[in-house]
């Protein structure tokens, strides 16, 4: 298949590009580089021994998308492009609706114009809001608690309307839990600009002494050790989940929402200890107040993915920490060599 990845130079998009190309698909990347760098292309070439066609553009540029779809004979699209920081979305809701919702509408217009009707969308477990029961299955009620989550929910609903309007569409919304880790080469991974919002990249920066200590946001939650519990999923498992979703869509019409998680939750302390054990580095920690909006526990029921996609996560917490650590060390080496040039 010829597959367009919007947001293809980003964290999850780049790992998915590796998996899809290794399965023999032709992969085309489209990104405005607002949260990624063009150097990812060189590293993708190092890993896969092939050069991916890349288009530097904004998904709100419908004409550019139309041409990209037509010129590359695209059969299916995976739509990663979007903004993803919850806190920033509260401060800049218009940017979030413009990038995420308007961007998706523009993509749908371009796809409709080119009669391309197969789409995998990057949704999030955030669409479940405060869990009413655990593990979260796909029939759990949805609810948005911030503009980022609302943009994901709006997009899911828009995609459902599209599938109802025309039964030829094949759409899967993958509701990711907590993606972490990196490709085993250490060449691509998550490289947030500024202070990381998420636990694993923050820990990785404490380990390389870019940050002095890890603040544990609350140790009085009703969880076994008092710290927050999440369903961390290795980004390579997640990438393989996209390949499985595309495969599923070749056989199935309509709109589908599917969780992509492991089904197992780990606490902040468990993650910190696992990282210490793979890196051999003791992480300085302090207990800080709870972070506003955080829930105590969140983990997936992954049964639907197993049944429909024939996919399940297979990499361990150890793999997640070891690959994060490898990527962090090589990113640091690259940065040091640039500063010394
Ligand atoms: P990322 O920021 O690394 O990748 C997103 C890419 O989209 C970036 O390369 C960015 O430059 C690009 N982009 C943003 N707006 C664009 C626009 N208007 N036009 C073209 N390109 C644009 O993020 P990621 O972690 O790879 O996330 C990919 C998708 O998965 C996002 O939609 C995100 O909301 C979703 N998601 C991520 C997580 C997570 O924890 N990483 C969890 C759930 C869902
Ligand atoms: N967390 C933490 N310190 C940090 C970042 C995160 O204690 O510096 C905790 C956070 O409170 C949550 C867990 O780690 O319990 C995962 O947070 P993350 O932001 O990675 O994911 P999300 O909360 O969005 O699921």
């Amino acid at each position: 298949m010829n597959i367009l990845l919007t947001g293809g130079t980003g964290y999850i998009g780049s790992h998915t590009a590796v998996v899809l190309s290794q399965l023999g698909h032709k992969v085309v990347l489209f990104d405005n580089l607002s949260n990624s760098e063009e150097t990812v292309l060189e590293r993708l070439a190092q890993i896969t021994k092939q050069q991916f066609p890349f288009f530097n553009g904004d998904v709100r540029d419908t004409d550019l998308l139309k041409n990209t779809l037509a010129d590359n004979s695209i059969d299916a699209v995976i739509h990663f492009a979007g903004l993803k920081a919850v806190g920033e979305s509260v401060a800049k809701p218009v940017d979030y609706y413009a990038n995420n919702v308007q961007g998706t509408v523009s993509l749908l217009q371009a796809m409709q114009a080119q009669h391309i009707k197969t789409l995998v969308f990057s949704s999030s477990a955030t669409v479940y809001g405060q869990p009413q029961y655990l593990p979260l299955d796909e029939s759990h009620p949805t609810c948005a608690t911030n503009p980022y989550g609302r943009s994901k929910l709006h997009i899911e609903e828009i995609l459902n309307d599209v599938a109802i309007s025309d039964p030829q569409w094949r759409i899967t919304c993958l509701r990711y839990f907590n993606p972490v880790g990196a490709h085993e080469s250490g060449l691509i991974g998550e490289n947030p600009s500024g202070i990381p919002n998420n636990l694993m990249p923050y820990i990785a920066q404490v380990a390389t002494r870019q940050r002095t200590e890890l603040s544990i946001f609350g140790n009085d939650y009703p969880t076994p050790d008092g710290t927050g519990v999440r369903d961390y999923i290795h980004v390579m498992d997640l990438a393989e989940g996209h390949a499985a979703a595309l495969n599923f869509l070749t056989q199935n019409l309509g709109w589908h929402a599917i969780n992509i998680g492991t089904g197992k939750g780990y606490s902040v302390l468990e993650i910190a200890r696992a990282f210490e054990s793979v890196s051999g580095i003791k992480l300085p920690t302090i207990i800080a107040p709870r972070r506003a909006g955080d829930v105590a526990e969140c983990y997936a029921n992954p049964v639907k993915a197993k049944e429909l996609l024939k996919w399940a996560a297979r990499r361990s917490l150890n793999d997640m920490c070891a690959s994060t650590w490898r990527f962090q060390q090589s990113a640091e080496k690259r940065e040091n060599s640039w500063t010394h040039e």
Side-chain angles (χ1 to χ4, degrees):
M1 258 201 269
N2 297 340
I3 306 162
L4 182 78
L5 309 190
T6 72
T9 48
Y11 171 46
I12 304 170
S14 57
H15 290 79
T16 306
V18 171
V19 166
L20 293 175
S21 74
Q22 287 173 346
L23 288 170
H25 297 292
K26 180 188 159 198
V27 177
V28 176
L29 308 178
F30 187 102
D31 202 298
N32 68 357
L33 302 176
S34 58
N35 197 37
S36 55
E37 289 174 7
E38 214 163 345
T39 51
V40 165
L41 297 169
E42 292 153 30
R43 298 206 283 277
L44 284 175
Q46 254 178 285
I47 296 170
T48 63
K49 313 285 177 238
Q50 57 177 282
Q51 207 74 45
F52 294 96
F54 171 64
F55 296 85
N56 182 347
D58 194 296
V59 282
R60 286 166 289 177
D61 185 344
T62 316
D63 286 335
L64 178 62
L65 268 179
K66 270 189 212 164
N67 292 337
T68 309
L69 293 170
D71 295 347
N72 294 281
S73 308
I74 296 297
D75 304 302
V77 177
I78 307 185
H79 183 35
F80 297 103
L83 303 179
K84 62 166 183 177
V86 171
E88 187 186 54
S89 80
V90 176
K92 299 178 178 174
V94 178
D95 285 2
Y96 273 68
Y97 293 123
N99 263 278
N100 297 3
V101 180
Q102 194 184 329
T104 305
V105 171
S106 164
L107 172 65
L108 290 167
Q109 287 169 327
M111 290 178 73
Q112 257 172 349
Q114 304 301 345
H115 310 288
I116 299 161
K117 298 184 178 177
T118 302
L119 176 66
V120 176
F121 170 62
S122 295
S123 190
S124 165
T126 192
V127 299
Y128 296 121
Q130 175 84 30
Q132 293 175 16
Y133 59 82
L134 288 164
L136 291 160
D137 59 27
E138 291 81 353
S139 20
H140 185 284
T142 53
C143 158
T145 53
N146 53 66
Y148 168 69
R150 198 162 292 112
S151 76
K152 292 291 177 192
L153 212 44
H154 282 336
I155 295 167
E156 282 204 2
E157 286 163 352
I158 290 168
L159 295 177
N160 198 9
D161 288 340
V162 169
I164 291 168
S165 75
D166 175 354
Q168 293 307 309
W169 275 88
R170 301 160 188 268
I171 301 176
T172 297
C173 299
L174 295 180
R175 294 175 175 167
Y176 311 158
F177 280 69
N178 289 56
V180 295
H183 186 261
E184 59 180 10
S185 63
L187 287 167
I188 54 171
E190 187 174 18
N191 202 2
S193 49
I195 302 172
N197 294 310
N198 298 114
L199 180 64
M200 191 65 98
Y202 200 99
I203 284 181
Q205 293 195 4
V206 175
T208 52
R209 309 276 178 252
Q210 285 166 267
R211 313 264 157 220
T212 49
E213 63 205 0
L214 170 68
S215 299
I216 296 173
F217 298 146
N219 66 349
D220 56 354
Y221 282 108
T223 60
D225 65 20
T227 65
V229 167
R230 297 289 183 276
D231 186 338
Y232 297 92
I233 172 155
H234 197 299
V235 67
M236 290 304 290
D237 279 330
L238 176 58
E240 288 167 8
H242 290 79
L246 278 175
N247 196 33
F248 165 74
L249 287 179
T250 60
Q251 310 293 323
N252 292 277
L253 295 161
W255 180 95
H256 312 267
I258 302 179
N259 285 341
I260 296 286
T262 66
K264 169 143 185 59
Y266 287 106
S267 73
V268 177
L269 284 175
E270 284 174 311
I271 299 291
R273 283 197 200 111
F275 200 94
E276 286 181 335
S277 141
V278 302
S279 64
I281 290 172
K282 177 99 190 98
L283 299 169
T285 57
I286 55 160
I287 304 300
R290 290 181 180 192
R291 185 172 64 178
D294 268 1
V295 300
E297 287 189 283
C298 176
Y299 51 91
N301 178 336
V303 167
K304 191 172 176 187
K306 201 165 189 180
E307 284 176 0
L308 296 188
L309 307 185
K310 317 287 176 225
W311 167 93
R314 55 198 177 91
R315 292 167 177 86
S316 66
L317 177 58
N318 198 60
D319 296 331
M320 301 181 210
C321 293
S323 60
T324 303
W325 182 225
R326 201 171 305 126
F327 173 72
Q328 189 67 31
Q329 287 173 296
S330 49
E332 198 184 36
K333 262 189 222 142
R334 272 195 300 273
E335 269 157 37
N336 287 341
S337 69
W338 288 333
T339 18
H340 293 124
E341 264 167 21

